[in-house]
Amino acid sequence: MMLVTVAHGTRHPTGNDVARAITAAAGASLGWTALTSYVELSSPLFADVVAELAEPAVVVPLLLSTGYHLSVDLPRAVEGATAPVSLGPSLGPDPQLAVAQAERLREAGAIPGQRVVMVAAGSQDPAAMPDLDAARALLAAEWGGEAALAT
């Protein structure tokens, strides 16, 4: 079994480095071969990876909510897979992500309980808004104060 992660991809190398580090750590923990892929902007592209699979794979999207990539792009690419693929859901919303967000806010000097704004990329997929609202609510609860949402 192989682990394939799929991140959005960025032109900023440090963002792609984070995706590769997460993938390497997960693969080592599982004892599986692991490969990082991207929806766009970076290589290897997810569609190319699944089109060349030589063994079954579990795909973990490194995406924080439902959106067009998760509901359309990734399933479409999986249709072209050369081996069985199990496509997982987005990472969030999740209480553990809210804990990490609150920790980062404290590290940045924010005062627990003060109003914060959670910024998300937004999506044309109507299923994205309930996820973003849930993530905002989780952050507000963890932070102990108002969390607004901006897309």
Side-chain angles (χ1 to χ4, degrees):
M1 187 67 67
M2 177 179 208
L3 170 66
V4 176
T5 62
V6 56
H8 184 275
T10 177
R11 290 183 181 92
H12 301 282
T14 54
N16 296 328
D17 291 344
V18 170
R20 284 190 292 274
I22 290 169
T23 303
S29 177
L30 294 167
W32 292 4
T33 301
L35 177 66
T36 309
S37 66
Y38 303 94
V39 177
E40 59 187 15
L41 303 176
S42 304
S43 62
L45 292 174
F46 177 69
D48 296 340
V49 167
V50 296
E52 298 173 2
L53 286 173
E55 63 183 293
V58 172
V59 175
V60 176
L62 300 180
L63 303 171
L64 300 179
S65 66
T66 299
Y68 188 83
H69 291 312
L70 196 62
S71 63
V72 176
D73 292 336
L74 301 184
R76 185 177 292 152
V78 166
E79 289 175 6
T82 54
V85 171
S86 176
L87 178 61
S90 64
L91 296 177
D94 188 279
Q96 292 177 343
L97 290 173
V99 169
Q101 289 170 316
E103 184 177 302
R104 293 297 300 266
L105 286 166
R106 286 188 294 277
E107 289 171 2
I111 299 166
Q114 80 181 108
R115 184 176 190 265
V116 297
V117 178
M118 184 182 83
V119 180
S123 176
Q124 293 179 351
D125 184 339
M129 280 313 296
D131 274 7
L132 295 178
D133 285 336
R136 184 212 50 78
L138 288 167
L139 174 59
E142 180 63 33
W143 186 241
E146 183 183 352
L149 174 65
T151 57

